[in-house]
Every structure is written in structure tokens, then in C-alpha cells.
Amino acid sequence: MATKGVGMANKGPSYGMSRQVQDKIDSKYDPELELILVEWISRQCGSGVGKPETGKMGFQSWLKDGCVLSELINSLYTADKPVKKIQSSTMAFKQMEQISQFLNAAEKYGVTKTDMFQTVDLWEGKDLAAVQRTLSALGSLAVTKDEGTYNGDPNWFFKKAQENKRDFSDDQLKAGKNVIGLQMGTNRGASQEGMSYGRPRQIL
């Protein structure tokens, strides 16, 4: 028992359980999806963003300062670009700030919180599969919206199902509450006659 969790607090290479967890996360990373995402981003943003070296490390370093991501989200808007300032920097906090600006803009575009990566997932390389998931969701949204800003093969990403919103009137909502009330039963006229054991049932 004394050896359990040894190395868990290490900030260097991962050991024990944390190494296993990292291996599982790494196994979710899709090299084929990487190729599609790189091709899409390159087409979407133009030759100015360049292309990374093949592989996870190249993919991470390409996106790490947040500039390519910011160019990407801006390219999906014809006017009123969401990320106002895109500036490359070698300073960690500036790079993370740029990534955060992309994430905020992606959420406003429609990417759900569950599909969103965390800044450290990219910047520290903790979960690059999550980064892929966010970019895939963004691509799917761009294809689904069909606003003329998507630049790539529409078959690269699946179209998201259009949300079917149902608006209920106040009367319908009240009627629904009444049905629930009847299903829960009523305590009118309830009697404890014949009960010989146990505590009386409490109806809240």
C-alpha cells in the first residue's frame, strides 16, 4: 500500500497510474483525422498558416500559440471577425490567452461545452484528442450552417442534426404539471386503519 501512487505528483515523465491514463488519452488521437484537419485548416486559412510536421508533436506545435486557431475561427465569418487581435508570441501566457480567445469564439459559433478542449489540453499536450474533437465539431458546424464560408470537402465532416426546438405555452406546461401531480397520487382521505407495523408513510 505504501507504494501506491508513487510518482503521481511528479511533474516530469508520468509514472504508474498517470502514465496509463495518458496512454489511454493518447490512444484516442486519430492520425487520419489529423491529416483531414490539417488539410481543412490550410485550405480554410490559406497558405499563410503553413503546414505542420506529420504527427502529434507537429500538430501540437502548429496550433500551440493559438494564432492558427484564431485565423481558423475568423475565416468562418464574412464580417465582424470574433478574434480582433491575432499576435504570435513566445510568452506562455500570451499563447494561452490566444487559445482562450479561439475557444470563446468557437463556443459562440455553436460548439458545445462537451466538445470543447481545455487550454492545457493543447498547450501542455495533455489531450490532443480533445483538440481534434473540438476542431471536428467546428468543421461539422461550418458544413451544417452552409453560410458560404466553409472551404474544403463537405464530406470531411458530418452534418449536425438540426435542433428541433419545441415551444410550449404556459397552459401546456401547467397541464403537464397537473398530470405529474396525479401520477404521484394523493393523500386525501388516506387512512392508517389496518396498519399494524412500521412507521406511517410520509407524503411530502
Side-chain angles (χ1 to χ4, degrees), residues 7 23 40 43 51-52 89 109 123 131 143 150 161 164 179 191 203:
D23 285 344
W40 173 49
R43 282 202 205 178
K51 283 191 178 182
S89 175
Y109 189 74
W123 201 84
V131 177
V143 170
Y150 176 80
N164 182 18
V179 169
S191 167
I203 299 175

Side-chain angles (χ1 to χ4, degrees), residues 62-131:
W62 187 46
L63 303 176
K64 187 177 175 180
D65 69 358
C67 291
V68 172
L69 293 174
S70 297
E71 294 282 2
L72 174 63
I73 192 68
N74 276 358
S75 72
L76 297 174
Y77 288 80
T78 50
D80 197 22
K81 310 284 187 185
V83 181
K84 306 300 179 192
K85 189 176 181 182
I86 302 175
Q87 191 170 359
S88 183
S89 175
T90 54
M91 290 188 285
F93 80 94
K94 286 281 188 187
Q95 293 181 348
M96 288 191 269
E97 191 179 79
Q98 196 77 56
I99 295 170
S100 294
Q101 287 189 58
F102 161 76
L103 291 171
N104 290 335
E107 191 174 343
K108 284 176 185 169
Y109 189 74
V111 178
T112 60
K113 284 188 184 295
T114 51
D115 282 332
M116 204 76 75
F117 70 85
Q118 304 294 313
T119 301
V120 292
D121 292 336
L122 171 57
W123 201 84
E124 295 182 12
K126 282 182 179 271
D127 190 356
L128 292 172
V131 177

